[in-house]
């Protein structure tokens, strides 16, 4: 074919034709598909961009980016992704940990399949307190380094509240800086920063009736009172407190049910749990009706079904104290 064209075409046109064919062939080899990750099955998954050369695809240096050489139609890509678990002949951009930047708190490590992976490895060299700490999620961590690992693994908002195990009382809780210890409605001690100044109330819709029977101008005013008291007050219902004779006088917002506090002759709007997770032996609580419930969630379920307010007297069985 080339011999026939050579005799029929002008030499310059022929050379251009040869160069163009070479370019087309070169692009066909180089233009593949760029993927964001290589799955455990070895196939490329999560398509980033079709029609990219390997150099373009791997330029970012991002760990996990992979490339496939086959320049196939969109229908084939779709079939690979939906039915085949990804694209075959997957070529990862990074084969080693060389020049891999995993970001703060992480480092590159070769896994069991000899693939580079970013793992959580926070710098714990400057941590002076080696004992357990209470996180802002209400969970106790064996040390601050363990909390930092949990923060890296998908809980970016947790921080150290105070040193030591999470407590049910503010006794012996030393809060850092100007924060104050407060016991919330679930009897967990938290360190919070008290807002001493609240904006003026501009609408009656801001009023809240507290569980203590006091009307507060806004959520800010209620939080400030909670801080000064050192114990959670909680919201009974929206609006000003009324002299209710029963729950029939109280209108709760959507998704909440009024529970009557017979001891204080007050109603409280509460969220009712439809289902409770399987409880452990150490989750049993003794409620204010002197009944032992398998968990606090089960106690709240019983309260909702009876329409009465139940609170935790203490952890464990009522027969233990």
């Amino acid at each position: 074919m080339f011999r026939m064209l050579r005799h029929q075409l002008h030499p310059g046109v022929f050379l251009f034709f040869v160069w163009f064919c070479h370019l087309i062939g070169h692009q066909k080899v180089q233009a593949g598909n760029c993927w964001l990750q290589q799955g455990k099955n070895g196939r490329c998954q999560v398509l980033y961009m079709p029609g990219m050369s390997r150099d373009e695809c791997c330029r970012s240096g991002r760990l996990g980016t992979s490339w496939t050489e086959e320049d196939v139609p969109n229908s084939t890509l779709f079939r690979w992704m939906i039915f085949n678990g990804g694209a075959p002949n997957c070529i990862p951009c990074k084969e080693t940990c060389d020049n891999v930047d995993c970001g703060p708190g992480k480092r590159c490590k070769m896994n069991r399949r000899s693939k580079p992976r970013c793992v959580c490895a926070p710098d714990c060299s400057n941590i002076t307190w080696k004992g357990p700490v209470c996180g802002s999620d209400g969970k106790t961590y064996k040390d601050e380094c363990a909390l930092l690992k949990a923060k890296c693994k998908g809980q970016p908002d947790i921080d150290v509240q105070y040193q030591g195990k999470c407590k049910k009382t503010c006794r012996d809780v030393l809060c850092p800086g100007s924060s104050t210890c407060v016991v919330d409605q679930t009897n967990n001690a938290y360190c919070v920063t008290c807002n001493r100044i609240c904006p003026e109330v501009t609408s009656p819709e801001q009023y809240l009736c507290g569980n203590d029977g006091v009307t507060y101008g806004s959520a800010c005013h209620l939080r400030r009172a909670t801080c000064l008291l050192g114990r959670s007050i909680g919201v009974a219902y929206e609006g000003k407190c009324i002299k209710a004779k029963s729950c029939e006088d109280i209108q709760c917002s959507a998704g909440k049910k009024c529970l009557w506090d017979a001891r204080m002759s007050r109603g409280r709007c509460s969220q009712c749990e439809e289902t409770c997770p399987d409880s452990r032996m150490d989750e049993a609580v003794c409620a204010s009706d002197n009944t032992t419930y398998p968990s606090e969630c089960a106690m709240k379920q019983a309260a909702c079904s009876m329409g009465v307010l139940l609170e935790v007297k203490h952890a464990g069985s009522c027969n233990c104290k």
Side-chain angles (χ1 to χ4, degrees):
M1 178 181 175
F2 275 101
R3 287 181 179 178
M4 291 174 61
L5 286 172
R6 190 168 186 175
H7 290 293
Q8 295 176 7
L9 295 176
H10 186 277
V13 175
F14 175 76
L15 290 174
F16 175 80
F17 177 78
V18 172
W19 172 82
F20 183 75
C21 290
H22 173 75
L23 180 64
I24 293 295
H26 181 72
Q27 285 185 335
K28 188 174 182 180
V29 173
Q30 289 298 314
N33 298 290
C34 191
W35 306 78
L36 290 180
Q37 67 182 38
Q38 184 181 31
K40 292 182 179 180
N41 59 4
R43 291 173 173 260
C44 281
Q45 298 173 346
V46 188
L47 180 66
Y48 171 65
M49 186 76 70
M52 288 186 76
S53 68
R54 184 176 182 183
D55 288 342
E56 291 172 326
C57 178
C58 299
R59 194 172 293 158
S60 66
R62 178 185 174 275
L63 189 63
T65 304
S66 302
W67 184 76
T68 50
E69 183 179 6
E70 289 88 353
D71 189 9
V72 295
N74 290 337
S75 58
T76 303
L77 290 175
F78 179 81
R79 189 177 69 253
W80 281 346
M81 289 187 286
I82 301 301
F83 302 110
N84 294 14
N89 306 319
C90 188
I91 305 171
C93 289
K94 291 286 186 180
E95 298 279 7
T96 68
C97 280
D98 295 343
N99 302 318
V100 173
D101 182 12
C102 292
K106 294 184 178 182
R107 65 181 177 87
C108 184
K109 183 180 179 182
M110 303 298 289
N111 66 9
R112 294 177 180 177
R113 295 184 292 113
S114 298
K115 301 290 183 183
R117 289 290 181 265
C118 285
V119 297
C120 290
D123 183 8
C124 303
S125 58
N126 295 326
I127 297 174
T128 54
W129 174 259
K130 302 300 181 183
V133 294
C134 181
S136 54
D137 57 349
K139 295 181 180 179
T140 298
Y141 294 86
K142 67 175 184 177
D143 52 38
E144 189 173 347
C145 197
L147 183 143
L148 291 175
K149 286 181 180 179
K151 187 182 180 83
C152 166
K153 288 181 178 179
Q155 302 181 67
D157 296 329
I158 59 170
D159 292 297
V160 175
Q161 283 203 102
Y162 50 85
Q163 295 174 348
K165 295 181 179 180
C166 293
K167 296 179 173 61
K168 295 287 187 180
T169 172
C170 281
R171 190 173 61 246
D172 300 328
V173 172
L174 184 62
C175 291
S178 59
S179 58
T180 304
C181 181
V182 171
V183 178
D184 71 358
Q185 287 178 282
T186 59
N187 295 317
N188 290 312
Y190 286 89
C191 289
V192 297
T193 302
C194 292
N195 188 0
R196 302 286 177 178
I197 302 174
C198 289
E200 291 185 17
V201 179
T202 57
S203 170
E205 294 180 356
Q206 293 179 264
Y207 286 114
L208 296 172
C209 180
N211 289 336
D212 56 355
V214 176
T215 298
Y216 294 91
S218 66
C220 177
H221 289 83
L222 189 144
R223 285 194 300 268
R224 184 179 66 180
T226 291
C227 267
L228 296 174
L229 182 65
R231 186 173 184 84
S232 175
I233 297 171
V235 178
Y237 47 86
E238 296 174 358
K240 291 184 177 181
C241 296
I242 60 174
K243 290 183 179 179
K245 294 181 180 179
S246 69
C247 271
E248 292 181 2
D249 300 327
I250 298 171
Q251 178 135 18
C252 295
S253 57
K256 290 188 176 183
K257 180 180 179 180
C258 178
L259 305 180
W260 189 252
D261 184 353
R263 184 175 63 89
M264 302 299 294
S265 295
R266 287 199 290 258
R268 181 185 301 183
C269 293
S270 298
Q271 190 84 36
C272 289
E273 301 286 342
E274 293 184 2
T275 58
C276 288
D278 294 335
S279 54
R280 303 189 308 267
M281 291 291 292
D282 59 349
E283 290 183 321
V285 294
C286 178
S288 50
D289 63 348
N290 293 318
T291 301
T292 301
Y293 294 92
S295 67
E296 190 171 343
C297 179
M299 180 198 74
K300 290 179 179 178
Q301 268 192 335
C304 283
S305 64
M306 294 185 291
V308 298
L309 180 69
L310 294 177
E311 294 181 317
V312 177
K313 284 179 67 176
H314 59 76
S317 171
C318 292
N319 299 326
C320 294
K321 291 193 178 182

